[in-house]
Amino acid sequence: MRKLLAYPLTCIYFLFFGLSLLIFHPIQWFCFTVFGYKAHKTSVDLLQFCLMRCINLLGSTQTLINPYKLDNSQPVIIVSNHQSMADIPPLIWYFRKHHVKFVSKKELGKGIPSISFNLRHGGSALIDRKNPKQAITAIKKFADYIEATNRAAVIFPEGTRSRDGKPKPFHTKGLETLIKYIPSAIIIPVTINNSWKNLRYGKFPLGIGNNITFTAHKPVKPSEFDTTEALLTYIETTIKDSIEI
């Protein structure tokens, strides 16, 4: 019965999701071209709010659990597990005061209304996962930008989405590069739960009635750890220990 109900709700979701991307694409272009970064960021934030409301059409909720007061006067690195594309809008919205930017695969930089435009013009890094040299160079440039602007970098060390909620091994080279070139950053480990259930049936229909949570753990500074390896171990353990399977 649950899966049968998912079919019409998924159709409604895709309708409003697609409309949101199409409507906000020219809005983003206009804001960026005419008014610049600040207006463009506002349009991107509003798009994320609309995309989160689209998830609500599936009977699902999204909740941030964050008992910590975050300082927005210094750069931030948000490190998270990755379960579905539904992870993205809440991270941008909930941490919007930090001006969230992403390390993303280059394929997402073209062909997707609103999303590709923001990745290309909003300050994110587009990397070629088949070209490690290009990826590290792009991440270094991205890190310099985050350090200079006191904004937030989001990175998913798993490299790809977990389709059953079980965490994949962390590939830490990109994260190490961010830590090295954003020396003043505060690092926030984030655990995402239940987002993978949106795809429990595949791409159609989508899963319904899920309580998706984003748990922000205690922010840490690299200087609090004796070695980078100890810091990386702490981040991975902290994130994975809170994943619910």
Side-chain angles (χ1 to χ4, degrees):
M1 183 64 185
R2 187 185 183 97
K3 186 174 181 179
L4 287 176
L5 182 58
Y7 282 98
L9 291 180
T10 299
C11 291
I12 295 171
Y13 165 81
F14 279 131
L15 173 62
F16 282 92
F17 182 87
L19 284 173
S20 296
L21 296 185
L22 290 173
I23 290 171
F24 273 92
H25 188 87
I27 292 174
Q28 276 195 68
W29 179 89
F30 181 81
C31 289
F32 179 80
T33 304
V34 177
F35 297 108
Y37 173 83
K38 186 175 181 180
H40 177 238
K41 180 191 178 301
T42 299
S43 71
V44 171
D45 290 344
L46 291 174
L47 170 61
Q48 310 317 310
F49 180 80
C50 291
L51 296 180
M52 289 171 66
R53 301 291 73 79
C54 290
I55 290 292
N56 294 151
L57 295 172
L58 296 170
S60 296
T61 61
Q62 297 149 313
T63 305
L64 173 67
I65 302 168
N66 180 25
Y68 305 101
K69 185 176 181 180
L70 304 178
D71 183 4
N72 63 346
S73 66
Q74 59 191 119
V76 171
I77 301 173
I78 298 171
V79 188
S80 177
N81 61 313
H82 192 21
Q83 296 188 345
S84 81
M85 292 307 292
D87 301 341
I88 308 299
L91 287 173
I92 297 176
W93 176 256
Y94 289 136
F95 295 98
R96 62 191 180 278
K97 73 175 183 178
H98 297 284
H99 297 243
V100 171
K101 315 299 177 185
F102 287 85
V103 177
S104 180
K105 59 183 181 181
K106 69 173 186 177
E107 290 83 359
L108 296 178
K110 57 184 178 180
I112 308 173
S114 286
I115 294 173
S116 295
F117 186 90
N118 181 44
L119 287 174
R120 291 197 312 272
H121 300 286
S124 293
L126 293 171
I127 65 171
D128 183 352
R129 292 187 295 183
K130 297 179 181 178
N131 185 344
K133 184 177 180 180
Q134 181 277 338
I136 295 301
T137 300
I139 291 174
K140 180 183 179 302
K141 182 178 179 180
F142 174 66
D144 291 340
Y145 165 78
I146 297 296
E147 175 73 18
T149 57
N150 289 332
R151 290 173 181 163
V154 174
I155 187 167
F156 301 116
E158 290 168 298
T160 188
R161 290 170 286 169
S162 169
R163 300 187 184 278
D164 56 6
K166 296 179 182 178
K168 296 178 179 294
F170 276 21
H171 304 285
T172 60
K173 190 64 177 179
L175 177 56
E176 288 181 66
T177 303
L178 288 181
I179 293 171
K180 178 179 179 180
Y181 290 104
I182 315 178
S184 62
I186 294 291
I187 301 174
I188 306 173
V190 174
T191 299
I192 300 174
N193 276 306
N194 297 324
S195 177
W196 69 272
K197 293 179 181 178
N198 282 342
L199 300 171
R200 67 166 73 206
Y201 306 128
K203 294 181 179 180
F204 190 87
L206 296 175
I208 62 173
N210 303 309
N211 179 26
I212 304 170
T213 61
F214 298 76
T215 302
H217 302 284
K218 182 181 178 180
V220 296
K221 298 179 180 179
S223 59
E224 296 172 2
F225 296 82
D226 293 332
T227 64
T228 300
E229 290 72 19
L231 171 59
L232 295 173
T233 299
Y234 169 82
I235 293 170
E236 183 170 0
T237 301
T238 299
I239 292 171
K240 290 184 175 181
D241 281 354
S242 294
I243 294 176
E244 300 170 1
I245 305 299

